[in-house]
Amino acid sequence: MRIVHLIKTNGIAGAEGHLLILLPGLIARGYDVRVVFIAPSNGEGGDFAAALEALGVPVERVPIRGHGTPGLIWTLRGVLRGLRPDIAHIHLFHAEIYGIPAAWLARVPRIFVSRHNEDPRRARQPLKTLYRGLWALTTLGICISAAVRRTVEAEGAPSRKLRVVHYGLPPAASPDRAAARAHLLHLTGFPADSVLFGTVSRLIDIKGIDDAIRAVALLQSGPSKTRLIVVGDGPYRATLEDLALAAGVADLVAFIGWQPDALNIMAGLDVLLSPSHREGFGMSVVEAMSQSVPVIAARAGALPEIVADGETGLLVPPKSPDALAAAMRALAADPVRRHQLGEAAVRRVRESFSAETMLAATAALYEGLPPKSAL
């Protein structure tokens, strides 16, 4: 069975990281997998295409200028007619807009769409009307969480066409948490007796990192060894740095930018924070849990699907620095509980968020079977 995945992207983030696991796994299962990369003219996303090719996934590049024109539909139609896929599997906004009609015009037998995030814009006009038409052409939608499924239903997608398949991770080696912690202390200059909380995400407003900084400030009302490490970069970084300075905690919050080995960074944390206001899945949460790191997460989006409150971490209301600070204070003072939550977290990842489970569920959908993990 030949599966052609279509995607336009500017770099490697959650959806792209997922495909770097999924596509080689499908090839190993015997599927003929190809990627049509709708390539921005400025060269962005080239790292993703190169990473796919390094993993043995064939990539065909189709250029796009700006946001594209209707002519791109006909270009993609010609590419798909040449590749003759059994399924066109489409990811992210631009590939949906141009790839779904192109696949339909190319008479691809089945058209799948994966939704990787919550995007309320699609439920508002004029996109809602457009997407009702696109869903009429689509065979099946794969949502990465029940939270994403709810937003897709709000834009008019028929429930009968939607399934949930969570992201999954390949087996991770047991981390050397002591070495990872030593590395973090070296990067930040924090004292050895610090309790290290961290966030790992793109620095945008919906990630709630401002709530984490305010929580750190609240914890300074009494003795505290709490320190916050902000991993990642983005347009909100300067605002967050200014907030830490204004809140009087600039010396307690370290911004260390993107790191090449995120798993090793997470393994050095005592607790991962995910205070997002909206979250389609939360891959960094699963990655931290795979390293036996407990999580404090907002009760928002898909995060309650991942974090079992009181078992693998703690859930708090979104946009509530007070509640976040209370949860941080509780775990900072209780290393035994942190250990127990971390051990339960890694078991949950193995049971519910493995790459093998994700691959089996996706393959079952390709074969027209109801996978056990799909809802």
Side-chain angles (χ1 to χ4, degrees), residues 268-290:
L269 297 173
D270 291 298
V271 181
L272 180 83
L273 303 181
S274 184
S276 295
H277 304 161
R278 189 174 76 237
E279 193 69 68
F281 184 71
M283 181 60 90
S284 65
V285 171
V286 178
E287 289 174 333
M289 290 168 59
S290 77

Side-chain angles (χ1 to χ4, degrees), residues 30-358:
Y31 289 96
D32 180 352
V33 174
R34 314 290 177 93
V35 170
V36 173
F37 174 48
I38 303 172
S41 58
N42 62 5
E44 290 184 344
D47 55 343
F48 173 60
L52 285 171
E53 290 171 325
L55 292 169
V57 181
V59 178
E60 182 162 345
R61 293 161 175 80
V62 176
I64 180 175
R65 293 189 178 276
H67 294 293
T69 66
L72 182 58
I73 294 173
W74 296 99
T75 301
L76 292 171
R77 170 183 175 268
V79 172
L80 289 169
R81 289 187 70 178
L83 291 173
R84 299 172 61 88
D86 299 289
I87 296 173
H89 193 155
I90 296 169
H91 308 266
L92 303 181
F93 180 77
H94 288 85
E96 292 169 3
I97 297 297
Y98 299 107
I100 293 173
W104 184 79
L105 289 168
R107 298 186 178 181
V108 177
R110 290 188 288 163
I111 302 171
F112 283 30
V113 173
S114 275
R115 274 299 175 81
H116 299 273
N117 51 52
E118 297 178 293
D119 188 351
R121 295 174 302 172
R122 291 180 173 95
R124 298 194 290 264
Q125 296 295 357
L127 285 181
K128 186 169 184 177
T129 296
L130 172 62
Y131 268 95
R132 280 179 176 168
L134 293 176
W135 280 110
L137 305 179
T138 301
T139 308
L140 195 72
I142 300 177
C143 304
I144 63 168
S145 66
V148 168
R149 177 175 179 156
R150 290 190 291 271
T151 65
V152 175
E153 288 174 333
E155 75 190 38
S159 295
R160 61 183 171 80
K161 289 189 175 184
L162 301 179
R163 304 290 185 272
V164 172
V165 178
H166 289 131
Y167 285 167
L169 289 178
S174 297
D176 184 343
R177 297 197 61 190
R181 178 183 176 85
H183 177 61
L184 276 182
L185 293 174
H186 174 72
L187 281 178
T188 61
F190 287 151
D193 63 348
S194 299
V195 182
L196 300 179
F197 292 82
T199 64
V200 181
S201 72
R202 189 161 182 254
L203 303 189
I204 54 178
D205 57 352
I206 64 168
K207 294 299 184 179
I209 300 167
D210 54 332
D211 297 328
I213 293 171
R214 291 187 176 96
V216 171
L218 289 169
L219 290 171
Q220 303 318 304
S221 59
S224 176
K225 297 179 180 178
T226 298
R227 302 294 186 271
L228 176 64
I229 301 173
V230 179
V231 183
D233 217 331
Y236 209 47
R237 177 167 178 166
T239 300
L240 294 170
E241 290 175 331
D242 289 344
L243 174 61
L245 186 63
V249 294
D251 58 333
L252 307 178
V253 180
F255 293 83
I256 63 172
W258 290 115
Q259 297 294 314
D261 187 356
L263 280 179
N264 191 55
I265 291 292
M266 292 183 200
L269 297 173
D270 291 298
V271 181
L272 180 83
L273 303 181
S274 184
S276 295
H277 304 161
R278 189 174 76 237
E279 193 69 68
F281 184 71
M283 181 60 90
S284 65
V285 171
V286 178
E287 289 174 333
M289 290 168 59
S290 77
Q291 301 297 295
S292 303
V293 176
V295 177
I296 301 174
R299 197 181 295 274
L303 295 173
E305 298 174 46
I306 302 171
V307 179
D309 190 24
E311 298 178 24
T312 65
L314 302 178
L315 294 174
V316 299
K319 303 183 182 181
S320 177
D322 288 332
L324 184 59
M328 292 170 67
R329 182 181 291 111
L331 291 190
D334 196 340
V336 173
R337 191 178 186 201
R338 293 200 304 267
H339 176 77
Q340 291 170 339
L341 293 172
E343 291 302 298
V346 75
R347 289 195 298 271
R348 180 163 171 77
V349 171
R350 291 170 183 161
E351 293 167 1
S352 301
F353 301 105
S354 71
E356 185 56 34
T357 298
M358 174 186 68

